Amino acid sequence: MKIEKLSREEILALPKIDLHVHLDGSMRLSTILDLAKQDNIRLPADNEEDLAKAMRLGEKVGSLTEYLKAFDITCSVLQGDGKLRRAAYELVEDAAAENVRYMEVRFAPVLHTREGLPLEAVMEAVLEGLQEGERKYGVQSGVIICGIRNMSPEVSYKLAQLAVSYKNAGVVGFDLAGAEFNNPPKEHLKAFYLVTNNNLNVTLHAGEAAGAESIHQAIHYNKANRIGHGTRLFENGDLMNYVNDHRIALEVCLSSNVQTNAVPSLEAHPLPMYYRKGLRVTINTDNRLITNTTVTDELLIANREYGLSMLDIKKIIMNGFKSMFQPYSVRKRYLARMREELGLATYYTPDFGMAIDH
């Protein structure tokens, strides 16, 4: 079968969505250097090229734990409301440059309190930066607050309280991130009871550095509405069918999964199998800086590596808009607009969405 080879320009022109993007993993190198200079923070290099090498940007580092080491550098300079505001604004600016229309930006506010900034001040700074970016570029966003697996459950609970307090004020969901292996999500149940009892959306990093059991816990213990990565879902076929039947979206991050050794190579990634089976897969960046990628690049990989056609790419983009943590009325408006912009009107029926609903 002949592969429809798409150009980067064709994908760049498409309206897009990014549901899994970390604020502290998506900074600009120039900003890191500038902020470090302002605060006399010592970095492993004083220029962009050498800093990129020191942080191993885009390299296969062998494990999630190794991958997360780069966050030590980004978090070291993201202390202070002005710095957080700038990073959030620049993320919107970068997303706008590749026609991203909506994104859900996640981060752990507790990692930005080293200089005594209260959690609420951290939140306000990030929200202000995102809102300023939206006013200028039109890219809408929501915030997902992350608990950290390898921190105490009490920290996660405090962050869950913060998330609940900012529901309907910019926060759209709660997550559990950090070192997945040997840090099961069910240890943080108190935090998730709080957010689910307050009807806040839940997504969890799962199936990246641990197997399908981690995904099982995320869904059945922590009540996840979406799964971050879900790379190893295939290890439990019955669970995979459950995820498919209940339309639980997977936030797939192709390049990142190779970097962290969740898969040995792009060729070995289960995305094409998930897509063919009808799972609601979405394609995301994870970390624009640390993975050295964009939404455009990730969608291009799906075409070049797996032979997904332009129609397939458009359906995956639509999966993202179906899965956004926004009220049904908002999703309906987005879907109607994207259906027109993507030229997919003939693939939908008035009442049931897509004729073949991915």
Side-chain angles (χ1 to χ4, degrees):
M1 183 178 72
K2 187 176 180 181
I3 295 176
E4 180 187 359
K5 190 174 182 180
L6 303 175
S7 69
R8 193 175 192 282
E9 289 68 30
E10 287 177 293
I11 294 179
L12 187 64
L14 297 173
K16 289 177 285 291
I17 185 168
D18 196 352
L19 294 179
H20 191 124
V21 55
H22 291 264
L23 174 65
D24 44 357
S26 300
M27 298 178 68
R28 298 172 182 171
L29 281 172
S30 57
T31 298
I32 294 173
L33 290 165
D34 187 33
L35 295 180
K37 186 176 181 180
Q38 287 180 29
D39 286 353
N40 294 314
I41 295 170
R42 189 170 183 176
L43 298 177
D46 60 3
N47 62 79
E48 291 187 28
E49 183 179 355
D50 290 339
L51 185 57
K53 290 177 182 176
M55 295 177 70
R56 304 181 69 182
L57 303 184
E59 293 182 21
K60 187 172 183 178
V61 295
S63 72
L64 178 60
T65 301
E66 286 296 313
Y67 180 82
L68 294 174
K69 287 181 179 178
F71 285 85
D72 292 340
I73 291 176
T74 60
C75 288
S76 73
V77 300
L78 274 183
Q79 306 296 326
D81 53 0
K83 301 173 182 69
L84 287 160
R85 193 177 301 112
R86 174 177 171 178
Y89 173 81
E90 289 179 350
L91 175 54
V92 176
E93 188 172 47
D94 292 343
E98 57 160 337
N99 209 13
V100 170
R101 302 297 179 80
Y102 176 83
M103 60 181 174
E104 290 180 356
V105 180
R106 63 187 73 195
F107 76 112
V110 71
L111 299 179
H112 306 283
T113 58
R114 295 177 193 172
E115 295 180 0
L117 199 65
L119 290 172
E120 292 77 11
V122 171
M123 281 301 308
E124 293 294 339
V126 171
L127 289 169
E128 286 170 11
L130 294 175
Q131 289 160 6
E132 184 184 354
E134 180 181 342
R135 286 192 295 272
K136 183 166 184 180
Y137 298 105
V139 180
Q140 295 184 311
S141 59
V143 168
I144 296 174
I145 292 181
C146 297
I148 302 295
R149 289 174 179 269
N150 44 301
M151 290 186 178
S152 72
E154 287 72 26
V155 173
S156 291
Y157 186 72
K158 185 179 291 187
L159 291 167
Q161 290 176 311
L162 183 72
V164 168
S165 73
Y166 276 88
K167 183 187 175 185
N168 300 322
V171 169
V172 298
F174 190 71
D175 180 23
L176 191 62
E180 183 183 6
F181 182 72
N182 216 25
N183 292 298
K186 64 182 181 181
E187 292 183 358
H188 298 260
L189 286 186
K190 185 180 177 183
F192 285 90
Y193 284 152
L194 179 66
V195 296
T196 54
N197 285 339
N198 282 275
N199 303 307
L200 188 62
N201 296 298
V202 170
T203 179
L204 263 82
H205 284 69
E208 181 186 18
E213 171 59 24
S214 179
I215 301 171
H216 185 278
Q217 286 187 29
I219 294 169
H220 294 296
Y221 286 81
N222 303 78
K223 309 303 180 185
N225 307 107
R226 296 194 320 235
I227 294 294
H229 299 288
T231 314
R232 294 172 62 179
L233 177 61
F234 67 88
E235 294 176 2
N236 185 327
D238 193 53
L239 181 63
M240 181 164 61
N241 289 332
Y242 181 91
V243 168
N244 199 10
D245 292 344
H246 290 266
R247 314 310 294 145
I248 298 171
L250 301 182
E251 303 160 0
V252 175
C253 307
L254 295 167
S255 298
S256 169
N257 287 164
V258 176
Q259 272 187 280
T260 63
N261 208 33
V263 293
S265 64
L266 285 171
E267 184 181 23
H269 202 287
L271 169 73
M273 183 265 284
Y274 292 163
Y275 178 73
R276 289 193 299 269
K277 282 186 66 69
L279 274 74
R280 185 166 284 179
V281 294
T282 69
I283 290 181
N284 312 276
T285 56
D286 199 8
N287 298 283
R288 296 172 71 99
L289 171 69
I290 295 169
T291 302
N292 190 26
T293 195
T294 63
V295 184
T296 301
D297 292 329
E298 296 300 300
L299 292 171
L300 189 60
I301 287 170
N303 168 248
R304 299 288 174 84
E305 291 289 333
Y306 314 125
L308 297 189
S309 67
M310 177 62 88
L311 178 58
D312 295 326
I313 297 298
K314 289 179 177 180
K315 287 180 178 180
I316 288 173
I317 291 171
M318 289 296 286
N319 282 347
F321 285 102
K322 290 177 185 178
S323 307
M324 60 202 296
F325 284 162
Q326 289 290 338
Y328 175 64
S329 59
V330 175
R331 292 202 310 274
K332 270 182 66 176
R333 289 196 296 271
Y334 266 103
L335 286 167
R337 189 160 67 246
M338 293 305 109
R339 190 162 59 231
E340 292 300 321
E341 288 194 42
L342 292 167
L344 289 172
T346 57
Y347 292 92
Y348 284 77
T349 58
D351 299 321
F352 299 105
M354 216 161 210
I356 301 175
D357 187 0
H358 286 286

